[in-house]
Amino acid sequence: MTTTLRLEKITADNFDAAIGLTVRPDQEHLVAPVVKSLAEAYVHPDTAWPRLVLDGDRPVGFLMAFLGIDFAGDGTGTDIRSGLWRLNIAAGEQGRGYGRFAVESVAAEIRRRGGTRLTTTWHPGEDGPERFYLALGFRPTGEMSGDQTVGELELV
């Protein structure tokens, strides 16, 4: 990892680079492809925050945050959360700190907006990213979102 890491908004100029990012074949069942995330961002423009992760000018990953959603989905607005919706680090780029940078970038954006916690979900099991998230300080909440574990990171 270099010190030239940055996030870039998805535009017509970098769209092909973004959708060309793929995770390792053994991880494809754990995270949606970037093109699906961008379609979801299109239909949820008020809450989705998609970004390309660049090392210099080289695309190395993609993230999408959710900002201020009704996490319970019950319409009461009593459980508003922000967090990491998707994280795709390119197959040949994993293990270099890009995932950590992505999570820290989402945390910084949530803090900038006044938030104090970052929520994410992951598929449980040995082949999932649980160890990665726990090493960053996330703690399971005891909730499930579909078949995924819900975890939170306090941003104090």
Side-chain angles (χ1 to χ4, degrees):
M1 181 173 75
T2 69
T3 58
T4 59
L5 293 179
R6 62 190 170 91
L7 298 183
E8 192 171 283
K9 190 174 184 176
I10 307 298
T11 67
D13 292 333
N14 63 22
F15 175 78
D16 286 334
I19 66 168
L21 285 167
T22 57
V23 297
R24 294 188 331 239
D26 64 309
Q27 297 171 328
E28 291 174 350
H29 70 286
L30 300 171
V31 65
V34 174
V35 70
K36 179 177 181 185
S37 296
L38 291 176
E40 289 172 327
Y42 178 80
V43 299
H44 299 286
D46 296 333
T47 57
W49 193 72
R51 296 292 185 269
L52 189 60
V53 180
L54 298 167
D55 187 347
D57 290 329
R58 189 168 51 92
V60 295
F62 169 85
L63 68 82
M64 186 161 71
F66 59 89
L67 301 166
I69 67 161
D70 178 2
F71 197 78
D74 60 7
T76 64
T78 59
D79 189 13
I80 304 300
R81 299 188 200 184
S82 296
L84 183 62
W85 191 348
R86 296 273 161 62
L87 179 59
N88 304 59
I89 302 299
E93 305 293 350
Q94 295 178 16
R96 298 181 182 174
Y98 300 131
R100 176 180 291 275
F101 170 78
V103 172
E104 290 171 353
S105 297
V106 171
E109 181 63 20
I110 291 170
R111 278 190 200 98
R112 189 184 73 75
R113 294 170 181 247
T116 59
R117 66 181 172 166
L118 189 164
T119 301
T120 196
T121 62
W122 61 80
H123 287 278
E126 284 300 309
D127 65 339
E130 181 173 63
R131 281 179 283 160
F132 167 76
Y133 288 116
L134 294 179
L136 291 177
F138 283 87
R139 294 295 165 245
T141 64
E143 303 166 278
M144 296 294 286
S145 179
D147 63 349
Q148 297 186 42
T149 300
V150 177
E152 289 192 339
L153 178 65
E154 292 299 320
L155 302 179
V156 292

